[in-house]
Amino acid sequence: MNSIYYLNDRILGHLDSTRKVKSFLWKLMYKRIKNKMNTSLINPINIKKIIFNKHHINGLNYNAPLPTVFIQRSASWYLGDDEKEYYVPLSIGFTNDKIRFEVVLIDGEVDLRNVQITKSGINNKHNPMLLVKNLKILELCFELLLEHLEKEENEKKEEDRT
């Protein structure tokens, strides 16, 4: 699974992966998502709980609408084939065969991204999350993942006691 790349170590917000604005409508739709994020489970504390959990190294599968999860545990700089440096942030990717959402954490700020999936596979072009229905799917997956990890943690504690 490829990580998404940023041109620098700042969140993109309503911009696409090339740091361009596609339309005024994007700004308005993104503002709705940001307002809903204020009350969401998707926050820096819960993101860190998932990224730095002790039981899964890179990813896992669990019962959710987007069942495959990939975790980028460390932020780094990457030298691309075009001799430019790109930033790979801490992130959690939720995917199935049709869609992929990334929850990115940069300097304590959350950036939600839709990653394009082409017929040849996933590429690194990503846009902001703009649809509330996508946010609801992502929130459900995030909540189920937190519950899954908490259940595993409790089972591990029970094993250690016996």
Side-chain angles (χ1 to χ4, degrees):
M1 173 66 70
N2 292 334
S3 299
I4 61 173
Y5 306 122
Y6 281 58
L7 297 176
N8 56 36
D9 55 351
R10 293 188 307 245
I11 66 167
L12 292 172
H14 65 276
L15 305 175
D16 70 4
S17 59
T18 61
R19 300 199 65 80
K20 294 185 178 152
V21 177
K22 294 293 184 186
S23 71
F24 179 69
L25 183 59
W26 270 33
K27 288 182 183 180
L28 294 176
M29 293 171 75
Y30 180 75
K31 190 172 183 177
R32 271 183 49 196
I33 295 294
K34 271 311 242 188
N35 288 339
K36 293 198 178 289
M37 284 290 297
N38 292 335
T39 60
S40 178
L41 260 173
I42 303 172
N43 59 50
I45 294 169
N46 286 334
I47 292 170
K48 288 178 183 176
K49 279 183 193 176
I50 293 170
I51 289 176
F52 300 117
N53 77 76
K54 298 173 186 170
H55 301 294
H56 300 287
I57 296 172
N58 293 328
L60 66 122
N61 287 319
Y62 69 113
N63 189 16
L66 302 174
T68 306
V69 177
F70 293 94
I71 300 170
Q72 175 68 31
R73 292 183 176 272
S74 61
S76 61
W77 287 94
Y78 168 77
L79 184 62
D81 295 335
D82 57 359
E83 300 298 321
K84 292 183 183 177
E85 284 191 339
Y86 297 97
Y87 184 68
V88 181
L90 294 172
S91 65
I92 306 167
F94 295 86
T95 188
N96 61 17
D97 293 338
K98 296 179 175 94
I99 58 175
R100 179 172 143 201
F101 300 134
E102 291 275 346
V103 177
V104 177
L105 184 65
I106 299 175
D107 287 335
E109 293 186 67
V110 179
D111 202 13
L112 302 180
R113 312 302 293 174
N114 287 345
V115 180
Q116 294 178 1
I117 298 180
T118 61
K119 289 184 181 181
S120 62
I122 295 174
N123 64 31
N124 292 320
K125 294 182 180 172
H126 51 94
N127 298 318
M129 181 168 289
L130 300 173
L131 300 175
V132 173
K133 72 176 186 175
N134 288 347
L135 177 61
K136 289 184 182 198
I137 292 169
L138 181 61
E139 285 176 328
L140 174 62
C141 292
F142 197 86
E143 180 180 3
L144 291 171
L145 180 58
L146 281 171
E147 289 172 3
H148 176 80
L149 293 175
E150 187 176 302
K151 180 181 168 190
E152 281 193 355
E153 185 71 31
N154 290 338
E155 287 174 359
K156 183 72 172 165
K157 286 179 184 176
E158 288 297 320
E159 283 180 13
D160 291 345
R161 287 184 194 154
T162 57

